[in-house]
Amino acid sequence: MIRHYRFLAGVLFAISVVATSVALALEDRASPGAPTDADTAHEDTGEGNKPRDRGWYVGFGLGFADDKGLDDDDTGVKIFGGYRFNRYVALEAATISLGDDLGPIDVVKDGISVQAVAMWPVREKLGLFAKVGFFDWEERAASGDFECSSFSGGFICFEDEDKIDDGTGAAYGLGLDYHLGKRWSLRGEWERFVDVGEGDVDLISFGSLYRF
């Protein structure tokens, strides 16, 4: 069967968040009302380019996953979305792949995390954050069996995977946001996922986020 079922489910979740946010943004844009003198002055002073303090956001990260238990590393990928309640507090969910070529038998580890985020603005364009929550994970390994389906006059095959283990553990991390403007930011972060199978897994990732 196709690999990374839970990862794909998380992608669908992120898409649904984007769709909802776009609908809300279009609704706000359709609301009547002309800009006031105060609004114009706010934009002229450059304050209109400051990042939004409240609302939905989505993003992605790509980086390096270090599996302490298997003593191996691989590429890590995450897609995340969240809601920022104010300039200091947010709630964030992410679907995360911690590698699919780990150990001597090509172990796959992925899952979904939910974390509370505390943010500290350092400068106008720079902010630090810390997060803590949980990670619901699954560990799988290639079974050696393949399943094939017809596709465009040919065949496409996927290797089946057998579940080895699953569970839920703590997750926490630290990071840095660099704001490019009102909506876009660059993000770098370190996260630790506790007791994922054979041991802890660290993820160092770099990416971007978009605020609605």
Side-chain angles (χ1 to χ4, degrees):
M1 300 293 290
I2 299 176
R3 305 174 73 179
H4 299 315
Y5 287 106
R6 299 175 70 183
F7 187 76
L8 291 175
V11 172
L12 293 176
F13 167 78
I15 292 174
S16 68
V17 171
V18 173
T20 302
S21 302
V22 169
L24 291 173
L26 291 175
E27 183 178 349
D28 291 340
R29 183 175 296 179
S31 299
T36 63
D37 293 340
D39 293 332
T40 304
H42 180 76
E43 292 179 358
D44 292 341
T45 58
E47 293 181 0
N49 291 325
K50 289 183 178 180
R52 292 172 174 246
D53 289 338
R54 183 176 181 179
W56 292 98
Y57 63 90
V58 294
F60 77 95
L62 178 67
F64 172 82
D66 181 17
D67 193 308
K68 309 295 184 182
L70 293 174
D71 192 24
D72 200 359
D73 55 72
D74 199 5
T75 301
V77 182
K78 64 180 296 183
I79 299 174
F80 60 90
Y83 187 82
R84 188 166 179 169
F85 298 96
N86 52 50
R87 65 186 308 192
Y88 300 107
V89 179
L91 182 64
E92 186 172 297
T95 176
I96 303 170
S97 172
L98 295 174
D100 58 7
D101 189 23
L102 296 166
I105 57 172
D106 295 345
V107 171
V108 177
K109 294 185 177 183
D110 54 27
I112 295 174
S113 74
V114 177
Q115 300 186 68
V117 185
M119 297 165 287
W120 296 273
V122 178
R123 295 186 178 180
E124 181 177 343
K125 292 188 176 183
L126 191 66
L128 300 174
F129 64 87
K131 54 172 62 175
V132 62
F134 67 88
F135 182 55
D136 183 37
W137 56 271
E138 184 173 281
E139 182 180 28
R140 303 182 303 279
S143 66
D145 298 325
F146 289 84
E147 182 170 321
C148 299
S149 303
S150 60
F151 180 77
S152 299
F155 290 91
I156 182 169
C157 298
F158 299 95
E159 188 173 11
D160 288 341
E161 294 174 343
D162 294 329
K163 185 170 74 171
I164 302 174
D165 198 4
D166 61 10
T168 302
Y172 54 89
L174 300 169
L176 181 70
D177 283 333
Y178 182 79
H179 308 302
L180 300 176
K182 189 174 182 179
R183 298 187 182 274
W184 286 99
S185 293
L186 299 178
R187 170 175 286 195
E189 61 183 313
W190 163 84
E191 295 174 277
R192 170 160 291 180
F193 305 98
V194 179
D195 291 336
V196 181
E198 297 75 17
D200 299 347
V201 182
D202 287 350
L203 175 64
I204 298 175
S205 62
F206 300 92
S208 64
L209 65 86
Y210 179 83
R211 288 174 291 274
F212 294 92

